[in-house]
Amino acid sequence: MELYLYDTTLRDGTQRVGLSLSLEDKLKIARLLDEFGVAYIEGGWPGSNPKDAEFFRRVRLRRARAVAFGSTRRAGARPEEDSNLRALLAAETPAVALVGKSSSFHVAHVLETTLDENLEMIADSVRLMKARGKEVIYDAEHFFDGYLEDPNYALQTIRSAAEAGADWITLCDTNGGSLPSWIHSVVRAVIPVAPRLGIHAHNDGELAVANSLAAVEAGARLVQGTINGYGERCGNANLVSLAPTLQLKMGLRCVPAEHLGRLTELSRAVSEIANLSPDFHAPYVGASAFAHKGGLHAAAVEKVTASYEHVPPETVGNRRHIVVSELSGRSNVRARSGQLGISLAGRDALVLARVKELESQGYQFEGAEGSFELLVRRSDPAYVPPFEVLHVRVRSDLRQGDAIAAEATVKLRVQGESAHTAAEGNGPVQALDRALRKALLPSFPRLAGVRLADYKVRILDSDAATGATTRVLVEAACGAERWSTVGCSANIIEASCQALADSLELFLSRSQSEIEGTKEARRSCPSNRLS
Amino acid sequence: MELYLYDTTLRDGTQRVGLSLSLEDKLKIARLLDEFGVAYIEGGWPGSNPKDAEFFRRVRLRRARAVAFGSTRRAGARPEEDSNLRALLAAETPAVALVGKSSSFHVAHVLETTLDENLEMIADSVRLMKARGKEVIYDAEHFFDGYLEDPNYALQTIRSAAEAGADWITLCDTNGGSLPSWIHSVVRAVIPVAPRLGIHAHNDGELAVANSLAAVEAGARLVQGTINGYGERCGNANLVSLAPTLQLKMGLRCVPAEHLGRLTELSRAVSEIANLSPDFHAPYVGASAFAHKGGLHAAAVEKVTASYEHVPPETVGNRRHIVVSELSGRSNVRARSGQLGISLAGRDALVLARVKELESQGYQFEGAEGSFELLVRRSDPAYVPPFEVLHVRVRSDLRQGDAIAAEATVKLRVQGESAHTAAEGNGPVQALDRALRKALLPSFPRLAGVRLADYKVRILDSDAATGATTRVLVEAACGAERWSTVGCSANIIEASCQALADSLELFLSRSQSEIEGTKEARRSCPSNRLS
């Protein structure tokens, strides 16, 4: 059976505190949603701001229908002259969403008009849109609260919209406080009046996904929500969790089957564009959604792949992840080293002890697997580091009105020689990064291909304020290869320096192994290893 | 009707990737849970690690029952000689949780024993604990998957535990993938065999809260979960969302009624101890859970308080929040200024334009209301800043093996005079903070009472790596008063300097207004204002 996904990330999603999207951002997200296969994309409220009106002028969709959102006409206004309805028509979308009041309390106290006038406002607005050839989705605001308070009036509002020709009626749990059993029974009661029913749920009780499923089980066939559950207060129903549950567990077709494998990518791309950190613990798509940390589970997963996973991670484009941490047993350390292709040769207890010691100082290897790899490599008595940092000095100079400036001086030992140099940057960390590379490049020209892809700072004991321990995560890339490293110190410059230097060292020692490996293979001279 | 909350933050919660708790942390959290009023506190797995065994030696609870967790005896072992059961007994808790297998697949492929031996393992282990006077909670692992696969065997395992005397049987959705309707029907089927039933849900489908409620609606009376939903993969059922829903919406007594008002405090205290950022969008307790951002809603909330809130925020110890942001209308700016007690005198459009301009540069006022207040104060043509920053220079010197060192030099204009000084610190930001205060203290002795309470760094366009824009948030405190300010720059030193300087400027201008206010009141000489 078909189920229609209706995305409102670009409208209701942007109501989230901390989220704002530029016009270009909105166009990028619309493209991703269209490719993923949602049925409707609500792009904004053209009557409320010029950015949204511009969005509708520029958006081009291949498969999804663009929806412009607005409210029913004002009390006492003629629909053709209502500025909001005019803005809706001016958006020239194939579909429009009209939001109207379902609660007699809200009609009296927020709209401040009569119950009959509200019914007319709904009917008039729907009729105008239908007369202009639009597909009309009528959003019944506060429906579940309104139905509790006055079921007859709430149903009358639905009848007004349906009789005026609305294509879909969406019941909204605007305050997000309803329970699934209430949602289920109300949807059952409304279906006879409006068979093409939708659900719009908010997450104020941590129940938006469950409330959407309850409505679907009761017969709703259109589900409104947002990517990653972004939305006002506690968010909207999360389409990223709903799509695989509906499709894989309830057998309802939402998106083309082969597109579900792009779900993780979609979720992360939208959080990147929205400039919000992805939630590592997000269902289905989080980096930790298929992580196995406890020694017991990791051992069990090795035995029986599916025994601790509710769906195969690859069906949603995610992957299984064995985590190394304080709670780990040696089996995790071995499994992780095995995934890295490095033999521990009995040093697993040593490595585990070192992990636990560093974690107690504030390091964290869960997000910095490059540092874990380096730790494993360094545990080999034959390991020779490609360089050592001897001295680093960083200066920032801020003068009122002037351009900002930072300078870093570094002194390294590289292959027995001293390399001493300096560089400038926007800020101290950039200056430091440039100086390190400048010192290393003459000896290691292959570093030219390495770029920094991400730089993150976390204050650990942040109530120690500016004296707190700082953890820096650096992600570097070379072609398609990516690795991340961690540094930790009360001095952000030192923490950054550690993470940057480790990042470069790991790259150099990995590529050194390859160079040596190639030489070995060619010359069959295993004794020639750098040790 | 009574419902028993069973907290497993200290055991299952710590399986979360990124979470680790010291012994002191665990004791602090246990104390908070005890005061809040949960019925059971599962403290750890004494058989798996010495920290947990030590926890049970030290924990003292006033109201809640401490529970030690472990698995049923090993296949073929005598219960009295099983090391895990011995560790459980050694914990000397009034209650123990025993986890056993419900799924015939897991018995064969993970335990690698016979179905009958598994039933004996369950019965033997429960009997031993009952003989030693323990309250026994039997956790039926993988129950909902096991029941789907082989309902007869799954029920037999429950019967084994019940007949051996288990006080509670908890059905676990170990993989977190079940749907609420399935949970509901399975609980209904098991109740006749085990009337005192519990539920343990995971969040892999974003349904842990809903699945717990579905079990309660079907008759379960013990709910396992964790604070803030911490737990392996996507987390456990979130007791912070469950407690108010069960108590306020379903009329089930979980905690003493007057304790629910401490819910927000409990949630935030646990995230502080766990050193995890609190989720601003968390249901009930998030800083944004009762935030009103869109112009429309904020206006409606002013009209009818309850119209966009599912429960009154104060019932869970939270508060309503009018947000100033790019999406705001002037009414939000006015409302927020009104809450601050500052008259805008018609400058609302000016302030709103400035907010939008700064937000487009990366500033964010939603978490930095002190900076918003300063912006409002600065918009007054009569405003005179208490000081100006002219020049700042910061140096970090890292030498292999040496203690780290940072030095800051600052030059300020204070009341027409130049103040030029220097200070050292652990890191560059601490040195800067110390230098700023040192320069200001002679002119403003009241600054001695101000301390920095929090310092946070966020990299905005983090894929620009070390060249990225950095946003710094500073929270300062003086007695019970707290305020937060923001700085933004590609140079972390500059961003920190802005946030620190604004933090001090706001304090000085607030207290200046008070001083002037007092003088005015005393002298009735309003023309004497600093302008």
Side-chain angles (χ1 to χ4, degrees):
Chain A
M1 201 186 302
E2 185 101 22
L3 192 134
Y4 298 85
L5 293 185
Y6 181 112
D7 183 275
T8 178
T9 308
L10 304 178
R11 204 268 309 164
D12 225 10
T14 62
Q15 299 280 328
R16 174 185 163 116
V17 173
L19 176 59
S20 70
L21 297 174
S22 69
L23 177 57
E24 290 303 326
D25 292 339
K26 294 184 76 164
L27 291 166
K28 268 191 235 172
I29 291 174
R31 204 153 42 232
L32 290 168
L33 291 167
D34 190 26
E35 284 165 11
F36 181 63
V38 305
Y40 297 91
I41 299 174
E42 193 174 83
W45 188 335
S48 86
N49 79 69
K51 193 203 288 175
D52 287 1
E54 180 64 19
F55 169 84
F56 289 110
R57 269 190 289 281
R58 291 192 40 198
V59 71
R60 293 288 170 275
L61 303 175
R62 289 194 307 175
R63 185 186 176 283
R65 312 202 90 191
V67 186
F69 175 91
S71 61
T72 53
R73 70 160 170 82
R74 287 191 184 76
R78 285 169 45 85
E80 297 77 7
E81 287 159 11
D82 185 88
S83 60
N84 174 53
L85 295 181
R86 289 163 67 113
L88 263 184
L89 289 168
E92 297 187 346
T93 50
V96 295
L98 283 171
V99 62
K101 297 280 182 208
S102 332
S103 137
S104 47
F105 175 84
H106 275 250
V107 172
H109 296 93
V110 181
L111 285 186
E112 295 173 344
T113 187
T114 65
L115 295 179
D116 284 344
E117 171 65 359
N118 180 50
L119 297 177
E120 284 303 313
M121 287 157 63
I122 296 168
D124 281 358
S125 307
V126 172
R127 264 195 301 267
L128 175 66
M129 292 298 148
K130 287 309 298 175
R132 302 297 170 91
K134 305 291 181 190
E135 178 178 2
V136 175
I137 297 106
Y138 174 73
D139 279 3
E141 199 194 35
H142 284 293
F143 190 80
F144 296 91
D145 299 326
Y147 189 86
L148 183 66
E149 168 199 319
D150 183 348
N152 283 334
Y153 185 70
L155 274 177
Q156 270 183 289
T157 65
I158 299 300
R159 222 171 262 123
S160 279
E163 287 169 6
D167 299 278
W168 285 101
I169 308 275
T170 300
L171 306 184
C172 303
D173 186 33
T174 308
N175 292 359
S178 296
L179 302 184
S181 46
W182 177 242
I183 299 279
H184 192 273
S185 51
V186 174
V187 169
R188 290 286 286 267
V190 178
I191 284 265
V193 177
R196 296 192 79 206
L197 212 60
I199 179 74
H200 174 109
H202 279 267
N203 206 33
D204 298 72
E206 206 175 328
L207 292 165
V209 165
N211 283 344
S212 305
L213 296 180
V216 170
E217 285 181 341
R221 282 296 169 265
L222 179 140
V223 174
Q224 297 196 1
T226 62
I227 299 303
N228 301 329
Y230 297 147
E232 193 165 21
R233 305 187 310 274
C234 310
N236 286 55
N238 185 358
L239 291 184
V240 172
S241 296
L242 280 163
T245 297
L246 290 164
Q247 193 138 334
L248 300 173
K249 300 185 180 182
M250 292 170 69
L252 294 159
R253 215 180 77 87
C254 307
V255 298
E258 66 278 14
H259 288 192
L260 209 56
R262 300 187 198 159
L263 186 70
T264 299
E265 192 188 331
L266 171 72
S267 162
R268 295 185 190 170
V270 171
S271 74
E272 278 300 310
I273 296 168
N275 205 355
L276 295 170
S277 306
D279 179 0
F280 277 46
H281 305 279
Y284 293 105
V285 299
S288 300
F290 298 93
H292 302 283
K293 179 174 170 181
L296 178 78
H297 279 203
V301 168
E302 275 182 49
K303 277 195 189 169
V304 189
T305 305
S307 69
Y308 290 89
E309 289 170 353
H310 68 127
V311 298
E314 58 277 10
T315 55
V316 291
N318 206 342
R319 63 188 187 94
R320 180 175 312 132
H321 196 79
I322 309 286
V323 178
V324 172
S325 87
E326 208 193 349
L327 276 191
S328 309
R330 290 199 209 174
S331 71
N332 284 46
V333 168
R334 270 198 302 271
R336 191 69 198 118
S337 305
Q339 283 186 348
L340 292 170
I342 305 176
S343 155
L344 270 169
R347 301 189 309 277
D348 46 355
L350 188 81
V351 168
L352 185 59
R354 183 79 183 130
V355 164
K356 291 189 178 190
E357 181 196 334
L358 289 169
E359 287 204 337
S360 73
Q361 291 168 29
Y363 287 81
Q364 195 170 21
F365 293 95
E366 292 166 8
E369 309 206 316
S371 289
F372 174 73
E373 181 180 340
L374 205 51
L375 196 146
V376 172
R377 289 179 177 270
R378 284 174 180 156
S379 74
D380 182 348
Y383 181 76
V384 177
F387 65 91
E388 270 179 281
V389 180
L390 302 178
H391 186 187
V392 168
R393 190 188 289 139
V394 183
R395 268 179 23 163
S396 291
D397 217 326
L398 319 172
R399 203 179 282 272
Q400 207 182 31
D402 271 18
I404 47 174
E407 186 204 53
T409 317
V410 301
K411 194 171 167 188
L412 312 182
R413 186 181 295 122
V414 188
Q415 298 173 324
E417 307 273 316
S418 157
H420 193 174
T421 186
E424 291 183 325
N426 265 342
V429 183
Q430 191 178 51
L432 179 60
D433 177 45
R434 288 182 178 166
L436 285 173
R437 286 154 184 275
K438 201 168 159 186
L440 291 169
L441 213 52
S443 309
F444 306 107
R446 62 187 186 276
L447 275 182
V450 175
R451 63 187 183 80
L452 286 178
D454 203 349
Y455 171 77
K456 287 200 183 100
V457 175
R458 172 88 201 277
I459 305 297
L460 294 189
D461 38 349
S462 62
D463 53 358
T466 57
T469 303
T470 304
R471 184 195 290 148
V472 168
L473 278 172
V474 157
E475 191 172 313
C478 183
E481 199 186 349
R482 280 187 166 235
W483 61 99
S484 51
T485 49
V486 60
C488 215
S489 164
N491 185 330
I492 189 173
I493 303 295
E494 186 179 44
S496 304
C497 185
Q498 283 174 7
L500 288 168
D502 274 12
S503 171
L504 300 174
E505 179 175 339
L506 178 62
F507 174 78
L508 291 174
S509 49
R510 273 186 188 171
S511 51
Q512 188 61 32
S513 314
E514 277 167 32
I515 293 169
E516 297 294 327
T518 318
K519 281 185 198 159
E520 281 168 23
R522 208 168 40 223
R523 299 195 247 153
S524 298
C525 177
S527 65
N528 206 29
R529 283 189 63 207
L530 185 84
S531 57
Chain B
M1 202 187 301
E2 185 101 22
L3 192 132
Y4 298 86
L5 293 184
Y6 181 112
D7 183 276
T8 179
T9 307
L10 303 179
R11 205 267 309 165
D12 225 11
T14 62
Q15 297 281 328
R16 174 185 162 115
V17 173
L19 175 59
S20 69
L21 297 174
S22 68
L23 176 59
E24 290 303 326
D25 292 340
K26 294 185 78 167
L27 290 166
K28 269 191 232 170
I29 291 174
R31 204 152 42 233
L32 292 168
L33 289 167
D34 190 28
E35 282 164 13
F36 181 62
V38 305
Y40 298 92
I41 299 174
E42 193 174 82
W45 188 336
S48 88
N49 78 70
K51 194 202 288 175
D52 287 1
E54 180 65 18
F55 169 84
F56 289 110
R57 269 191 288 281
R58 292 189 42 196
V59 71
R60 293 287 171 275
L61 303 175
R62 290 193 308 174
R63 185 187 175 282
R65 311 201 91 191
V67 187
F69 175 92
S71 61
T72 53
R73 70 159 170 83
R74 286 192 184 75
R78 284 169 46 85
E80 297 78 9
E81 287 159 11
D82 186 87
S83 61
N84 175 53
L85 293 182
R86 289 163 68 112
L88 263 183
L89 289 169
E92 299 188 345
T93 50
V96 296
L98 284 171
V99 62
K101 297 281 181 208
S102 333
S103 138
S104 47
F105 175 85
H106 275 249
V107 172
H109 295 93
V110 180
L111 285 186
E112 296 173 344
T113 187
T114 64
L115 296 179
D116 284 343
E117 170 66 359
N118 180 51
L119 297 178
E120 285 304 313
M121 288 157 64
I122 296 169
D124 282 356
S125 308
V126 172
R127 264 194 302 264
L128 175 66
M129 292 298 147
K130 287 310 297 176
R132 304 296 171 92
K134 306 290 180 189
E135 178 177 1
V136 174
I137 297 106
Y138 173 73
D139 280 4
E141 199 195 35
H142 283 293
F143 190 81
F144 296 91
D145 299 326
Y147 190 87
L148 183 65
E149 171 198 317
D150 182 348
N152 283 334
Y153 185 70
L155 274 178
Q156 270 182 289
T157 66
I158 299 300
R159 223 171 263 125
S160 279
E163 286 169 6
D167 299 279
W168 285 102
I169 307 275
T170 300
L171 306 183
C172 304
D173 187 33
T174 308
N175 291 358
S178 297
L179 302 184
S181 46
W182 177 243
I183 299 278
H184 192 272
S185 50
V186 174
V187 170
R188 288 287 285 269
V190 178
I191 285 264
V193 177
R196 296 192 78 206
L197 212 59
I199 178 74
H200 174 109
H202 279 267
N203 206 33
D204 299 72
E206 205 175 330
L207 292 165
V209 166
N211 283 343
S212 306
L213 296 180
V216 170
E217 285 181 342
R221 282 295 169 267
L222 177 140
V223 174
Q224 297 197 358
T226 63
I227 299 303
N228 301 329
Y230 297 146
E232 192 165 22
R233 303 186 310 272
C234 310
N236 285 56
N238 185 357
L239 290 183
V240 171
S241 296
L242 279 163
T245 297
L246 290 164
Q247 192 139 333
L248 300 173
K249 298 185 180 181
M250 293 171 70
L252 294 159
R253 216 180 75 89
C254 309
V255 298
E258 66 278 16
H259 289 193
L260 210 55
R262 302 185 197 160
L263 187 70
T264 299
E265 195 188 329
L266 171 71
S267 161
R268 295 186 191 170
V270 172
S271 73
E272 278 300 312
I273 296 168
N275 205 355
L276 295 170
S277 306
D279 179 1
F280 278 45
H281 306 279
Y284 293 104
V285 298
S288 301
F290 298 93
H292 302 283
K293 179 174 171 181
L296 179 77
H297 280 200
V301 169
E302 276 183 48
K303 276 195 190 171
V304 188
T305 303
S307 69
Y308 291 89
E309 290 169 354
H310 68 128
V311 298
E314 58 278 9
T315 54
V316 291
N318 206 343
R319 64 189 185 91
R320 181 174 309 131
H321 197 80
I322 308 286
V323 179
V324 172
S325 87
E326 207 194 352
L327 276 190
S328 309
R330 289 198 210 177
S331 71
N332 284 45
V333 167
R334 271 197 303 270
R336 189 72 199 115
S337 305
Q339 283 185 346
L340 292 169
I342 305 176
S343 155
L344 271 168
R347 301 188 310 275
D348 46 355
L350 189 79
V351 168
L352 185 59
R354 183 77 183 132
V355 165
K356 292 189 179 193
E357 182 195 332
L358 288 169
E359 288 205 336
S360 73
Q361 291 169 29
Y363 287 80
Q364 194 169 22
F365 294 95
E366 291 166 10
E369 309 206 314
S371 288
F372 174 73
E373 181 180 340
L374 205 52
L375 196 147
V376 171
R377 288 178 178 271
R378 284 174 180 156
S379 74
D380 181 348
Y383 180 76
V384 176
F387 66 91
E388 271 178 280
V389 179
L390 301 177
H391 186 186
V392 168
R393 190 188 289 138
V394 183
R395 266 182 21 166
S396 290
D397 217 325
L398 318 173
R399 204 179 282 271
Q400 209 182 27
D402 272 18
I404 48 177
E407 186 204 53
T409 317
V410 302
K411 194 171 168 188
L412 311 182
R413 185 182 294 120
V414 188
Q415 298 173 324
E417 305 276 314
S418 157
H420 193 172
T421 188
E424 290 183 326
N426 264 342
V429 182
Q430 191 179 51
L432 179 60
D433 177 44
R434 289 182 177 166
L436 285 172
R437 285 155 186 274
K438 199 167 161 187
L440 291 168
L441 212 54
S443 310
F444 305 108
R446 62 188 187 275
L447 274 183
V450 175
R451 63 185 181 83
L452 286 179
D454 202 351
Y455 171 76
K456 288 202 183 100
V457 175
R458 171 89 201 276
I459 305 296
L460 294 188
D461 37 350
S462 62
D463 53 357
T466 57
T469 303
T470 303
R471 184 196 289 148
V472 168
L473 278 173
V474 157
E475 190 171 312
C478 182
E481 199 185 348
R482 280 185 166 237
W483 62 99
S484 52
T485 50
V486 60
C488 217
S489 164
N491 185 328
I492 189 173
I493 305 294
E494 186 178 45
S496 304
C497 185
Q498 282 173 9
L500 288 168
D502 274 12
S503 171
L504 300 173
E505 179 173 340
L506 178 61
F507 174 78
L508 291 173
S509 51
R510 273 187 186 169
S511 52
Q512 189 60 32
S513 313
E514 277 167 31
I515 294 168
E516 297 294 328
T518 318
K519 281 186 197 158
E520 281 169 23
R522 205 163 48 221
R523 301 195 247 154
S524 296
C525 176
S527 63
N528 205 28
R529 283 189 63 208
L530 182 86
S531 57

